[in-house]
Amino acid sequence: MLALAPRSFVASSLVSQLQRTSLFANLPESAVNHFAEKAQVKHAAKGQVLFIQDDEAEWFYLVQSGWVKLFRETLEGAEAVIDVVSATHFFGEHALFTADRYSYSAQVVDKTHLVLMPLSLLRYHLEKTPQMAMNLLRHTAQQRELQSREMEHLAIQTATQRIGCFLLKLCPDTTHGGAQIHLPYDKTLIAARLGMKPETFSRALAKLKSDVNLKINGSTISVASIAALVEYTCNHCSSSFPCDDNS
Amino acid sequence: MLALAPRSFVASSLVSQLQRTSLFANLPESAVNHFAEKAQVKHAAKGQVLFIQDDEAEWFYLVQSGWVKLFRETLEGAEAVIDVVSATHFFGEHALFTADRYSYSAQVVDKTHLVLMPLSLLRYHLEKTPQMAMNLLRHTAQQRELQSREMEHLAIQTATQRIGCFLLKLCPDTTHGGAQIHLPYDKTLIAARLGMKPETFSRALAKLKSDVNLKINGSTISVASIAALVEYTCNHCSSSFPCDDNS
DNA sequence: CGAGGGTTTGAAGTGCATCAAATAGTGTGG
DNA sequence: CCACACTATTTGATGCACTTCAAACCCTCG
């Protein structure tokens, strides 16, 4: 859920952008064009709320650039962050299966470019274009897989280990030895994303720093040894590193 | 994820059983027959392991009766229970999207009747029978929805509240006032299912008992006031009761 | 009746949250 | 370019929730 978009993503045409996403891959060009015609591009600033839980759902969203927080709130004001999505990722599409209501809220957390497409069009093409149903099915199944890993993490890992896992997903796969990474968004938001409080995040990151030899400078972190981080983190997870390869 | 099968489920013919599941509903009869022909019925005793994580996946499973635990294990032996499934529920089908390997282990926790069907047949019909793809898509999307609620619970609810939610799902929807319910499986397993230790479960249930006036007799529990339980539990959740209506 | 697993209870420790306050960092208007 | 205002982050002190380890209890089944 943390993969970053290729640099060229935003620069290319809308149709070509769509074709490079999991949902529109290998679709008849006419279908992709149909979506591109009905699409609306929207530019949103930090803090803007795109929709809230239980809203009637009309659109689903593709992120071109930036970051969007997907979350739920309880009556008491506690917030559960479901996901934080970036370029090439979709959200809101699942409202098709929840009586056309969004089941979470979405808020922009950084300057963001979005593509809005009608859910009705998606529904139409799910029926009409079998490849689209297969694409969405594959996509949804993979999301479910990722989610169930996160459930496992919440249930059996410590805060420090969850942070380690988060950092590992930010390391380029090709890297051996060490890596220099950059936190993609607010530490406060990362904390919420990992199911902990900001104070806990701060302390747990400090612990990780001393335990596996990190250098931390604001939101830039250099990992001396990825192997050490893997050992620290992944031994307490059911999957072995790298665990995010959806082949 | 806790819905129980109608009593008549096991008694009916295999084809009719299939047709009453979300995956086979509204399918051409020829397709359902095709699955029924290739299906194997299997009877498994408590403790039997059906497959383990990373096994090559050949079958997906429908539960006719009994209970099956789906879980993952870490190197250290910690166990995360993904789900505990009963009659009319499927599992193993998602291996289609994870390179034909199961991504969790499955163990029978009570005398269980299963129907095994080849994943290859499912793959074939997903391509050939659009309604089947739509059915699986709807099913997967709903599972994802349920999962994300559980993630929320793990992140922001206390052990006691999670137990309250679990009990509420066992109450017949139609009930007003009070209800008498029966825990469907081991308390130890329920604890694991809810992401806590058996000791914690025991103590948290005792707390719930005194806080919302339960009567507990072994695995039989009577709830004096469902409303009280709802207030205790659902105010700390983003969805309002009843939250499991997938319309 | 006895063995073994499930369940409860107790005592002590750990991890995370909470509340409060200090510090660092960022963007703004002057 | 600087000072201020505001937010993000860190740090400290304390409390609660959950776990751990250990032992007792209970229940079922051979």
Side-chain angles (χ1 to χ4, degrees):
Chain A
M1 296 187 176
L2 280 168
L4 298 178
R7 281 178 239 314
S8 57
F9 187 69
V10 179
S12 52
S13 79
L14 183 52
V15 167
S16 130
Q17 276 181 44
L18 292 179
Q19 285 171 331
R20 271 183 287 159
T21 64
S22 56
L23 204 49
F24 292 96
N26 307 314
L27 242 53
E29 191 147 348
S30 65
V32 181
N33 287 337
H34 198 177
F35 278 93
E37 282 164 22
K38 301 289 188 183
Q40 290 190 10
V41 171
K42 181 171 173 174
H43 181 187
K46 176 171 181 171
Q48 185 168 347
V49 173
L50 300 171
F51 53 78
I52 62 174
Q53 183 175 7
D54 298 330
D55 269 2
E56 184 119 18
E58 191 177 349
W59 306 94
F60 71 104
Y61 295 71
L62 166 66
V63 183
Q64 286 185 308
S65 70
W67 294 90
V68 178
K69 173 175 77 169
L70 311 180
F71 65 104
R72 298 211 182 96
E73 269 174 331
T74 70
L75 293 174
E76 257 88 16
E79 179 182 282
V81 174
I82 309 290
D83 203 355
V84 180
V85 294
S86 62
T88 75
H89 288 247
F90 291 94
F91 61 93
E93 82 289 346
H94 81 290
L96 281 185
F97 306 101
T98 51
D100 283 321
R101 306 217 163 246
Y102 297 114
S103 72
Y104 47 73
S105 308
Q107 183 181 24
V108 169
V109 294
D110 203 2
K111 197 169 65 171
T112 293
H113 292 261
L114 297 159
V115 181
L116 283 66
M117 289 168 280
L119 280 167
S120 57
L121 189 57
L122 180 56
R123 174 170 281 134
Y124 172 79
H125 276 289
L126 284 178
E127 306 277 355
K128 188 182 169 213
T129 315
Q131 181 64 43
M132 179 128 229
M134 287 304 290
N135 283 355
L136 181 55
L137 178 53
R138 169 164 285 105
H139 176 260
T140 304
Q142 285 176 354
Q143 295 285 107
R144 195 183 152 195
E145 185 63 23
L146 291 173
Q147 260 189 351
S148 90
R149 285 238 175 73
E150 300 205 358
M151 271 186 50
E152 174 190 330
H153 290 173
L154 281 173
I156 66 184
Q157 289 193 320
T158 66
T160 315
Q161 286 157 0
R162 294 206 297 281
I163 295 176
C165 181
F166 184 89
L167 296 183
L168 280 173
K169 289 191 205 144
L170 292 174
C171 294
D173 336 322
T174 55
T175 326
H176 296 285
Q180 172 134 350
I181 59 189
H182 194 83
L183 299 181
Y185 40 84
D186 265 352
K187 288 180 179 177
T188 304
L189 182 55
I190 299 178
R193 175 77 183 78
L194 299 178
M196 67 189 78
K197 299 293 162 188
E199 298 93 328
T200 301
F201 180 86
S202 176
R203 286 187 249 259
L205 184 57
K207 178 168 163 49
L208 199 59
K209 171 180 174 176
S210 70
D211 284 357
V212 299
N213 196 23
L214 302 179
K215 288 197 178 38
I216 302 178
N217 183 353
S219 60
T220 301
I221 298 182
S222 34
V223 183
S225 157
I226 291 186
L229 189 52
V230 167
E231 181 174 7
Y232 188 92
T233 301
C234 302
N235 282 348
H236 302 270
C237 177
S238 68
S239 338
S240 45
F241 182 81
C243 52
D244 55 345
D245 56 347
N246 296 301
S247 42
Chain B
M1 295 189 176
L2 282 167
L4 298 177
R7 280 178 240 314
S8 58
F9 187 70
V10 179
S12 53
S13 80
L14 182 52
V15 166
S16 130
Q17 277 183 43
L18 292 179
Q19 284 171 332
R20 271 183 287 156
T21 64
S22 57
L23 203 49
F24 292 97
N26 307 315
L27 243 52
E29 191 147 347
S30 66
V32 181
N33 287 336
H34 198 177
F35 278 93
E37 283 164 22
K38 301 289 188 182
Q40 290 190 10
V41 171
K42 180 171 174 175
H43 182 187
K46 176 171 180 172
Q48 185 169 346
V49 172
L50 300 171
F51 53 78
I52 63 173
Q53 182 175 9
D54 297 331
D55 270 2
E56 183 120 15
E58 190 178 349
W59 306 93
F60 70 105
Y61 295 72
L62 167 66
V63 183
Q64 285 185 309
S65 70
W67 294 91
V68 178
K69 173 176 77 169
L70 311 180
F71 65 103
R72 299 211 181 97
E73 270 174 331
T74 69
L75 293 173
E76 257 88 16
E79 179 183 281
V81 174
I82 308 291
D83 204 354
V84 180
V85 295
S86 61
T88 76
H89 287 247
F90 291 94
F91 61 94
E93 82 289 346
H94 82 290
L96 282 185
F97 305 102
T98 52
D100 282 320
R101 306 217 162 246
Y102 297 114
S103 72
Y104 46 74
S105 308
Q107 182 181 25
V108 169
V109 293
D110 202 0
K111 196 170 66 173
T112 293
H113 292 262
L114 297 159
V115 181
L116 284 67
M117 289 167 280
L119 281 167
S120 57
L121 189 58
L122 180 55
R123 173 169 281 135
Y124 172 79
H125 276 289
L126 284 178
E127 305 277 356
K128 189 183 168 210
T129 315
Q131 181 65 42
M132 179 128 228
M134 286 304 290
N135 283 355
L136 181 55
L137 179 53
R138 168 165 286 105
H139 176 262
T140 305
Q142 285 177 354
Q143 295 286 108
R144 194 183 151 194
E145 186 63 23
L146 292 173
Q147 260 189 351
S148 89
R149 285 238 176 71
E150 300 205 359
M151 270 186 51
E152 174 190 331
H153 291 173
L154 281 173
I156 66 185
Q157 288 193 319
T158 66
T160 315
Q161 287 157 359
R162 295 206 296 280
I163 295 176
C165 181
F166 185 88
L167 296 183
L168 281 173
K169 289 190 205 145
L170 292 173
C171 293
D173 336 321
T174 56
T175 326
H176 296 285
Q180 172 135 350
I181 58 188
H182 193 82
L183 299 181
Y185 38 85
D186 266 353
K187 289 180 178 176
T188 304
L189 182 53
I190 300 178
R193 175 76 182 78
L194 299 177
M196 66 190 78
K197 300 291 162 188
E199 296 95 328
T200 301
F201 179 86
S202 176
R203 287 186 248 258
L205 183 58
K207 177 168 164 50
L208 200 57
K209 171 180 175 176
S210 70
D211 284 357
V212 299
N213 196 23
L214 303 179
K215 287 198 177 40
I216 302 178
N217 183 354
S219 60
T220 301
I221 298 182
S222 32
V223 184
S225 158
I226 291 186
L229 189 51
V230 166
E231 181 175 5
Y232 188 93
T233 301
C234 302
N235 281 347
H236 302 269
C237 177
S238 68
S239 337
S240 45
F241 182 81
C243 52
D244 56 345
D245 56 347
N246 296 300
S247 42

